[in-house]
């Protein structure tokens, strides 16, 4: 295939030129040579630098294909690749992610039915009590369905969850529904390019994957990698305009739960030192949250069902159990005994608050925490007895 003169793919050349910043939202377009990534657009001459992503299929025809990817320099505005669910896109409202695609029903059935309904109520009667006459708006013939021609493309509606802007004091995304013009597909942001909200959302998605790997697949090694990836994604997050209190609350939850769950994976894999570090990280976060009881983040978590018996009871006891188990397996019986004793005390405090057999529980959430804490305290006592035996 011979390219036009204005759209010539060339190999990257090592020549000095003034640095131009890359496009903030790099579009993925369909070129004559396959899919391409618009790396940057020159403002001076409107030339687009497009990295050809599928040049391999063309390079196979060459006896000695180049080691570097080919670039396409062109002023042509190539169309976007076809959007799919999960793609990052740009629309007239900003950047977002496609959550649903549906076909728009353009048949006149609905419109005719609405017209029929209105015409039935639009009747009149004369002063002599004669039978009301039918409205002339109603057609005597049934509506005809419009049959799409074989070459007619269906009209699609795209549902997009916006990520470029959000309502304040909420975590719910704004959804827009577009028919025309269709959104343009862009490259997904790397972790370093994400804002605080996007990083937390990414970590939550990783946590969901890891939960399935841990509980259903019993693949503890893979689950450990995924949990650790979620923790690393938000470990050094820089809070910005997207970091409202809901984002900060979600950050605490995903950090604590993924750290504890990663610690449990380490217990199954007998990675004792690594497991202890994960659980200790969760304890540090929970202690910091405990010092800020009654403030915004704590109030948000309580309002969403994460009661204190869950936050400072179950989660802390789980952390103490992991640390104690890891210390015991490393031969540090005295340290393990002291850690487990702290976990036992925390569990007893919240069990006493909920009364004997949970008689003071006022909600199903408290009853569930009471039952979970009973099991955790039982496991800690078993581990403490094992510490005594090993001394």
């Amino acid at each position: 295939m011979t390219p036009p003169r204005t759209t010539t793919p060339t190999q990257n050349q090592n020549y000095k030129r003034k640095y131009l910043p890359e496009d903030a939202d790099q579009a993925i377009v369909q070129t004559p040579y396959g899919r391409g990534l618009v790396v940057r657009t020159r403002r001076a001459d409107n030339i687009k630098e497009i990295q050809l992503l599928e040049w391999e299929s063309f390079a196979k025809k060459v006896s000695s294909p180049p080691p570097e990817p080919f670039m396409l320099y062109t002023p042509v505005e190539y169309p976007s690749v076809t959007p799919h669910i999960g793609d990052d896109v740009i629309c007239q409202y900003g950047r977002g992610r496609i959550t649903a695609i549906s076909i728009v029903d353009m048949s006149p059935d609905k419109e005719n039915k609405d017209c029929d309904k209105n015409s039935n109520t639009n009747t009149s009667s004369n002063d002599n009590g004669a039978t009301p006459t039918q409205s002339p708006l109603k057609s005597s013939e049934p509506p005809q369905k419009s049959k799409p021609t074989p070459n007619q493309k269906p009209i699609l509606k795209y549902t997009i969850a916006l990520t470029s802007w959000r309502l304040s004091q909420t975590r719910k995304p704004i959804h827009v529904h577009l028919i025309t013009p269709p959104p343009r597909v862009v490259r997904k942001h790397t972790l370093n390019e994400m804002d605080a909200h996007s990083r937390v959302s990414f970590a939550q998605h990783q946590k969901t994957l890891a939960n399935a790997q841990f509980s259903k697949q019993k693949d503890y090694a893979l689950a450990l990698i995924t949990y650790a990836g979620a923790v690393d994604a938000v470990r050094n997050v820089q809070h910005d305009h997207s970091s409202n209190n809901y984002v900060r609350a979600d950050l605490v939850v995903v950090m604590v739960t993924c750290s504890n769950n990663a610690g449990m994976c380490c217990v199954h894999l007998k990675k004792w030192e690594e497991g202890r570090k994960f659980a200790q990280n969760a304890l540090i976060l929970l202690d910091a949250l405990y010092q800020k009881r009654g403030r915004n983040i704590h109030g948000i978590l309580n309002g969403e069902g994460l009661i204190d018996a869950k936050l400072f009871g179950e989660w802390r006891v789980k952390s103490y159990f992991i640390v104690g188990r890891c210390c015991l397996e490393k031969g540090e019986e005295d340290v393990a005994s002291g850690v487990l004793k702290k976990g036992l005390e925390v569990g007893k405090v919240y069990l006493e608050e909920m009364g004997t057999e949970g008689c003071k529980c006022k909600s199903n959430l408290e009853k569930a925490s009471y039952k979970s804490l009973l099991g955790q305290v039982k496991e800690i006592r078993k581990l403490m007895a094992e510490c005594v035996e090993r001394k």
Side-chain angles (χ1 to χ4, degrees), residues 20-222:
L20 295 175
E22 296 184 355
D23 292 350
D25 298 304
Q26 297 178 342
I28 302 177
V29 296
Q30 189 66 47
T31 74
Y33 313 99
R35 294 158 59 95
L37 177 68
V38 182
V39 178
R40 62 170 59 84
T41 302
R42 303 175 188 170
R43 293 185 178 181
D45 51 11
N46 199 34
I47 294 295
K48 298 168 183 61
E49 299 182 12
I50 304 176
Q51 179 183 345
L52 300 178
L53 304 177
E54 299 176 343
W55 182 251
E56 291 83 359
S57 59
F58 296 91
K60 287 180 180 179
K61 302 177 183 179
V62 184
S63 58
S64 58
E68 298 181 11
F70 267 58
M71 299 294 293
L72 179 67
Y73 301 88
T74 175
V76 177
E77 190 74 31
Y78 287 116
S80 171
V81 296
T82 304
H84 296 91
I85 294 176
D87 284 344
D88 282 19
V89 294
I90 289 289
C91 65
Q92 58 263 48
Y93 301 105
R95 185 181 179 112
R97 183 172 291 108
I98 296 179
T99 59
I101 301 176
S102 59
I103 298 177
V104 179
D105 186 8
M106 298 301 293
S107 64
D109 291 0
K110 287 187 177 181
E111 187 174 341
N112 288 328
K113 288 179 181 179
D114 293 338
C115 182
D116 293 347
K117 183 177 180 180
N118 294 332
S119 63
N120 287 334
T121 59
N122 186 16
T123 57
S124 61
S125 60
N126 54 32
D127 295 337
N128 298 328
T131 305
T133 58
Q134 188 179 28
S135 169
L137 293 177
K138 184 173 182 179
S139 174
S140 58
E141 297 181 359
Q144 298 293 327
K145 290 186 177 181
S146 60
K147 297 181 179 181
T149 60
N151 297 328
Q152 183 179 359
K153 293 183 178 180
I155 299 177
L156 300 178
K157 180 177 72 173
Y158 300 92
T159 302
I160 303 173
L162 296 179
T163 57
S164 56
W165 61 282
R166 305 172 183 86
L167 296 176
S168 61
Q169 298 306 315
T170 182
R171 64 161 59 86
K172 295 181 180 178
I174 301 173
H175 288 83
V176 296
H177 305 277
L178 296 181
I179 295 178
T180 182
R184 290 177 61 84
V185 180
V186 294
R187 174 182 63 80
K188 290 184 179 295
H189 280 159
T190 62
L191 193 61
N192 292 333
E193 296 171 328
M194 295 181 184
D195 59 14
H197 187 281
S198 299
R199 282 196 173 204
V200 172
S201 298
F202 173 79
Q204 289 173 326
H205 177 67
Q206 292 296 100
K207 175 185 172 182
T208 301
L209 295 178
N211 288 344
Q213 295 162 357
F214 184 93
S215 302
K216 296 180 180 179
Q217 304 173 19
K218 307 297 183 183
D219 191 341
Y220 303 119
L222 182 58

Side-chain angles (χ1 to χ4, degrees), residues 176-366:
V176 296
H177 305 277
L178 296 181
I179 295 178
T180 182
R184 290 177 61 84
V185 180
V186 294
R187 174 182 63 80
K188 290 184 179 295
H189 280 159
T190 62
L191 193 61
N192 292 333
E193 296 171 328
M194 295 181 184
D195 59 14
H197 187 281
S198 299
R199 282 196 173 204
V200 172
S201 298
F202 173 79
Q204 289 173 326
H205 177 67
Q206 292 296 100
K207 175 185 172 182
T208 301
L209 295 178
N211 288 344
Q213 295 162 357
F214 184 93
S215 302
K216 296 180 180 179
Q217 304 173 19
K218 307 297 183 183
D219 191 341
Y220 303 119
L222 182 58
L224 174 59
I225 294 173
T226 312
Y227 280 130
V231 173
D232 290 338
V234 292
R235 186 186 300 277
N236 297 316
V237 64
Q238 298 295 323
H239 292 290
D240 49 29
H241 64 281
S242 68
S243 301
N244 56 29
N245 287 328
Y246 290 93
V247 173
R248 295 170 189 265
D250 290 341
L251 174 62
V252 172
V253 171
V254 76
M255 280 286 286
V256 171
T257 54
C258 286
S259 294
N260 271 340
N261 292 343
M264 286 302 301
C265 291
C266 292
V267 170
H268 285 283
L269 298 171
K270 298 183 179 180
K271 296 183 176 182
W272 310 121
E273 182 60 29
E274 191 175 351
R276 177 167 67 175
K277 289 180 179 179
F278 275 117
Q280 286 175 337
N281 181 51
L283 282 172
I284 292 172
L285 294 169
L286 289 170
D287 289 342
L289 181 63
Y290 187 80
Q291 297 299 323
K292 298 181 180 180
R293 298 188 311 278
R295 298 187 183 181
N296 291 332
I297 295 177
H298 179 233
I300 289 173
L301 296 176
N302 281 170
E304 296 180 342
L306 292 175
I307 59 177
D308 286 358
K310 182 86 171 178
L311 291 171
F312 309 122
E314 293 181 55
W315 288 0
R316 279 207 293 183
V317 172
K318 183 176 182 178
S319 300
Y320 282 126
F321 174 83
I322 296 171
V323 174
R325 177 69 184 275
C326 293
C327 290
L328 177 62
E329 296 299 335
K330 291 182 65 178
E332 302 173 3
E333 289 85 2
D334 292 336
V335 177
S337 180
V339 171
L340 293 172
K341 187 176 180 180
K342 291 180 181 179
L344 184 61
E345 291 174 354
V346 170
K348 284 182 176 180
V349 167
Y350 287 96
L351 286 175
E352 290 175 359
E353 287 183 1
M354 290 183 284
T356 306
E357 296 183 359
C359 61
K360 295 182 181 179
C361 293
K362 299 179 181 179
S363 65
N364 291 331
L365 293 173
E366 291 181 345

